[in-house]
Amino acid sequence: MIPWFVEWKKKVVSFNRNIRMFMLANVLIQIGMGVFSVMYNLYIKELGFPETLNGKIIAMTSLASAIMLVPAGFLSDRFGRKKIIMIGAAVAAGTLFYRSLMVSEQSLVYAAFFTGLFMALVQVSGIPFLAENSTASERMHLFSIHFSLMTLAGVVGSLGGGVLADLLHALGGLSVEDAIKYVLIIGATIFTLGLLPLTKLNPVGTRATSLDDQDDKKIPEPSSFRKNVKIIILFGFANLLIGTGSGLVIPYLNLYFSNRFDASNSYVGLILSLGSAMTAVAMLLGPALVKRVGKVKALVIFQLLSIPFLFITGYTNSLVIASIAFLMRQALMNAGNPIQSAIAMELVQDKYKGLANSVNQMVFNVGWASTGAISTGLVMTFGFYWGYAYTFTITGVLYLIASTYFFLVFGRKKLVNT
């Protein structure tokens, strides 16, 4: 454990100032968003609006992100990562304050749309910015730390927001509505503080100097464009399969535990938070496996190992077994995310990194959003046992197809440095 910690410490210290400032900014931004992710739907409820408004707000946010993701990638490639991140974060911060204070239905829906629109600028530019400020040898550890920190920051925001709202209500004498409103304002303030480290970023960082990068620069522009677009499409198809599978189960895990096992809200919140915490730890284990077997094989191994736990979750009648299987699946499947990002950023040139990241996120979101009716329809038709069993089974099959496809397309070609 000590040598492992020493190795990680050396890696973190070696990151340049741009990376450290960017990570600090994103920790603050994710804490702020974590507060909103948990507390905002409760705020809508306390305002007296029907549950359908929460669905409308979530749909508008997702729609805005889907609309903006690809244009955001082009803008990021064209005008620079820092400028696009700053604009996106600044406007998104303004929308969060607006949403904390406004109470009319129309205003809440429109503000949610603009939050999704401008957060897309931040989301799309982040990974390419890190890639352009690091060398190929640094990226695996860098992305693992980045994803882990973002996950933990979201947990801190979501748990902290709920605790603070309860304290303000119980000890501060505030109504539930006012307590949540103040917590949302605090969340928006923390988000806004993330702008300060962003102002200290240099627009251009240390570029990667791997042999692959040098070879790409020698390719004539038309050939280079075709090569990068082909890779983006091939990569995007794998993400579409994963997103489709994830969309069947991940948004409904709280309902799964509640419906099948009659689990309490506290238990559901605890188990989902533990899942995020285990994911953060698992992401830090990825580089060790990559060192042994290479990036593509490591990603595929993590994904394949998660599938049996997915099936166990779908078919067990034991809450304890379901909880353990969920935690293992969550950690293993998401442990591959930093590896996947590292592969994507290695396969394309700097000028196409924003486009690659935006397309990957867009197709994942399309897959995620397209299966909600299927999942709920299966549960309504076949009940809480077989409905979820069929849903988890379909997801497992899609994950298996995606992992096999990814290995066949990328694992047997000299495309990725190991």
Side-chain angles (χ1 to χ4, degrees):
M1 181 61 69
I2 293 178
W4 178 83
F5 177 79
V6 171
E7 180 186 359
W8 276 101
K9 183 179 179 181
K10 288 180 179 178
K11 291 290 183 181
V12 173
V13 172
S14 70
F15 296 152
N16 65 34
R17 187 171 181 271
N18 259 9
I19 291 175
R20 294 195 297 270
M21 288 295 102
F22 183 77
M23 284 187 168
L24 174 59
N26 270 272
V27 166
L28 295 170
I29 287 172
Q30 289 302 316
I31 290 175
M33 290 304 296
V35 172
F36 264 77
S37 68
V38 171
M39 303 308 301
Y40 195 67
N41 59 344
L42 299 178
Y43 182 57
I44 299 300
K45 180 180 178 180
E46 289 300 323
L47 289 175
F49 290 112
E51 291 293 328
T52 52
L53 180 58
N54 267 321
K56 187 183 297 185
I57 287 173
I58 293 171
M60 290 298 286
T61 306
S62 300
L63 174 63
S65 294
I67 291 172
M68 193 61 181
L69 278 170
V70 172
F74 279 111
L75 291 171
S76 176
D77 290 335
R78 175 66 179 84
F79 296 105
R81 317 298 181 199
K82 177 183 176 180
K83 184 180 296 184
I84 296 302
I85 292 171
M86 285 289 297
I87 293 172
V91 179
T95 65
L96 295 184
F97 279 111
Y98 184 85
R99 293 168 67 183
S100 303
L101 299 171
M102 294 297 104
V103 294
S104 70
E105 179 175 350
Q106 192 173 35
S107 297
L108 296 175
V109 172
Y110 287 156
F113 180 85
F114 282 104
T115 299
L117 204 67
F118 285 93
M119 275 304 296
L121 297 177
V122 180
Q123 294 164 356
V124 162
S125 302
I127 295 300
F129 180 86
L130 291 175
E132 292 171 1
N133 281 271
S134 61
T135 62
S137 61
E138 292 178 316
R139 286 179 194 149
M140 192 59 258
H141 285 82
L142 171 59
F143 288 158
S144 296
I145 293 173
H146 173 73
F147 278 89
S148 182
L149 282 176
M150 297 310 101
T151 303
L152 288 175
V155 172
V156 169
S158 59
L159 291 179
V163 171
L164 185 57
D166 288 342
L167 289 175
L168 289 175
H169 173 60
L171 303 179
L174 298 177
S175 66
V176 175
E177 177 186 329
D178 286 340
I180 296 176
K181 177 186 290 187
Y182 283 122
V183 168
L184 291 175
I185 293 173
I186 292 172
T189 302
I190 295 173
F191 183 104
T192 305
L193 290 175
L195 292 171
L196 297 178
L198 292 179
T199 62
K200 301 182 182 298
L201 298 179
N202 293 320
V204 180
T206 303
R207 297 281 177 167
T209 56
S210 68
L211 292 177
D212 285 351
D213 294 331
Q214 294 174 15
D215 290 341
D216 278 343
K217 293 176 182 177
K218 298 176 183 177
I219 300 174
E221 184 60 28
S223 174
S224 174
F225 175 77
R226 286 194 297 270
K227 174 187 175 184
N228 283 275
V229 170
K230 178 182 177 182
I231 291 172
I232 290 171
I233 292 173
L234 291 172
F235 215 92
F237 182 69
N239 267 329
L240 178 62
L241 291 173
I242 295 295
T244 302
S246 298
L248 283 167
V249 298
I250 304 303
Y252 310 103
L253 284 170
N254 54 347
L255 295 176
Y256 160 79
F257 282 109
S258 177
N259 291 336
R260 179 176 285 190
F261 303 105
D262 198 26
S264 66
N265 289 333
S266 298
Y267 184 87
V268 173
L270 174 63
I271 200 68
L272 294 181
S273 297
L274 285 175
S276 296
M278 284 191 65
T279 296
V281 174
M283 286 175 177
L284 297 177
L285 302 178
L289 184 58
V290 168
K291 192 174 182 179
R292 288 178 174 270
V293 302
K295 293 185 181 69
V296 172
K297 288 182 179 179
L299 174 61
V300 172
I301 287 172
F302 275 129
Q303 291 179 344
L304 291 178
L305 287 176
S306 76
I307 294 173
F309 294 104
L310 184 69
F311 286 128
I312 291 172
T313 308
Y315 284 92
T316 184
N317 275 316
S318 167
L319 176 58
V320 174
I321 294 176
S323 300
I324 294 173
F326 158 74
L327 292 175
M328 294 300 296
R329 188 226 70 91
Q330 188 84 346
L332 289 167
M333 190 66 188
N334 291 321
N337 290 344
I339 304 173
Q340 188 177 43
S341 294
I343 294 172
M345 292 300 99
E346 274 190 26
L347 290 178
V348 297
Q349 291 175 278
D350 284 347
K351 61 164 56 176
Y352 301 107
K353 286 183 181 358
L355 177 62
N357 195 38
S358 64
V359 169
N360 284 333
Q361 292 193 39
M362 182 194 70
V363 296
F364 183 91
N365 287 340
V366 168
W368 179 289
S370 63
T371 52
I374 297 174
S375 179
T376 54
L378 286 172
V379 173
M380 290 178 64
T381 302
F382 297 102
F384 293 151
Y385 182 82
W386 286 110
Y388 285 115
Y390 291 147
T391 300
F392 278 77
T393 300
I394 296 171
T395 297
V397 171
L398 287 171
Y399 282 0
L400 180 60
I401 294 172
S403 299
T404 304
Y405 162 84
F406 197 89
F407 179 74
L408 293 176
V409 173
F410 297 106
R412 297 183 179 182
K413 293 183 179 181
K414 301 292 185 178
L415 288 174
V416 185
N417 294 330
T418 58

